[in-house]
Amino acid sequence: MPAPDPADPAGLSGPSAPGPAAPGAGPRSVERALDLLDAVADAGRPVGAKALARELGCALSTVYHLAGPLLARGHLVRTAGGYAPGPRVPALHRAHLRHHGLGASTGELLGLLRRATGAEAYHTAYRDGLITVVDTTAPVTDTAHPFAPGPEDRAHATAHGKALLAALPRARRRRYLADHGMARFTERTITGADRFEAEMATVRGQGYAVSLGEADLAHACLAVAVPDRGDGIVHALSVSLPTAEFARRQGAVRAALARAVPGFPALPES
């Protein structure tokens, strides 16, 4: 490993472009590059190469090798404090929205829901066996917020996950739960298949889903599925608020969600 450079405390020096492929380069190298990108994205501030090497358990030279293509393609940028997400990242998010047949109007709808309820609002979607938090009104600086955009691995314990799963055929829902499991996050989490099916019947009967401290004891959430748009994707709108406030505010939140659903954008004309 190269000796530390006193003039480079963040560990940013190194080749500006990747060198020759290391032995065994291929899918594993792609996986390590994605690990690096995730580590930078999950950090609250720029991350130096030495810190990334420690987190990934690899040599400093490997970090430089992996970062080269990500820098060249704009997925990362190199700042005085370390590596940070690059300008290509917002474009990927916009592409994600386009592939879901969505656009700026969805963000505007979430903003209206946020103002109507005084609580953070979310758009989530089920597609091809995966549930994703697509967008939220929670500030990007609020790293402690429990429902950040990205893959949702607690669907069975969240209101938005329940709303989406309740809208699926039983066989597809069972397959999702078998693939992703039903981990216990709090003492309130439903982890049994039969009890969860009873919960699904309740969600379909009342037209909305509730999670009261099931994913995070401090937060409650309420969600409704959006009527089928014919795109093979199931969408949901939801709101989260402190668990202690749920009983007092749930009626107003439920009414605001009901008003918001008709405003969900239709599929664009082809």
Side-chain angles (χ1 to χ4, degrees):
M1 182 178 295
D5 183 352
D8 180 28
L12 295 176
S13 62
S16 58
R28 178 58 179 157
S29 292
V30 173
E31 186 177 336
R32 296 302 296 273
L34 293 174
D35 286 342
L36 187 150
L37 186 60
D38 283 342
V40 173
D42 291 341
R45 59 182 61 83
V47 190
K50 295 169 188 173
L52 286 169
R54 287 192 299 270
E55 181 170 347
L56 299 178
C58 65
L60 187 59
S61 60
T62 301
V63 171
Y64 294 139
H65 177 78
L66 296 173
L70 296 172
L71 291 165
R73 291 174 177 265
H75 296 291
L76 292 179
V77 292
R78 196 158 45 186
T79 73
Y83 293 104
R88 177 66 179 151
V89 174
L92 291 175
H93 180 62
R94 289 193 295 271
H96 180 64
L97 294 178
R98 287 197 305 273
H99 279 268
H100 281 76
L102 305 168
S105 57
T106 312
E108 293 169 2
L109 180 63
L110 292 181
L112 289 172
L113 191 53
R114 170 71 175 81
R115 289 191 289 276
T117 61
E120 304 301 351
Y122 310 84
H123 164 217
T124 23
Y126 168 93
R127 183 177 190 176
D128 299 328
L130 295 175
I131 289 178
T132 304
V133 179
V134 179
D135 203 1
T136 172
T137 58
V140 295
T141 53
D142 186 1
T143 56
H145 202 78
F147 310 118
E152 176 58 270
D153 59 0
R154 301 175 297 175
H156 64 289
T158 66
H160 48 256
K162 291 181 187 181
L164 294 169
L165 291 170
L168 298 179
R170 182 186 177 101
R172 198 181 307 173
R173 178 169 58 253
R174 287 290 182 99
R175 190 179 315 124
Y176 177 91
L177 294 173
D179 290 344
H180 296 270
M182 300 181 70
R184 182 178 298 281
F185 299 106
T186 76
E187 62 267 25
R188 299 178 178 179
T189 308
I190 298 174
T191 58
D194 291 342
R195 186 179 167 202
F196 193 77
E197 279 303 316
E199 179 79 354
M200 295 293 91
T202 298
V203 171
R204 289 190 295 272
Q206 65 191 13
Y208 62 90
V210 173
S211 170
L212 194 57
E214 294 174 44
D216 181 312
L217 284 173
H219 289 85
C221 50
L222 194 149
V224 292
V226 174
D228 183 10
R229 304 193 314 162
D231 56 359
I233 306 172
V234 186
H235 301 272
L237 295 173
S238 62
V239 165
S240 75
L241 60 158
T243 302
E245 300 179 14
F246 182 76
R248 176 173 58 85
R249 298 173 58 187
Q250 65 167 316
V253 169
R254 193 163 66 245
L257 280 167
R259 292 194 300 269
V261 167
F264 197 84
L267 283 175
E269 300 256 342
S270 54

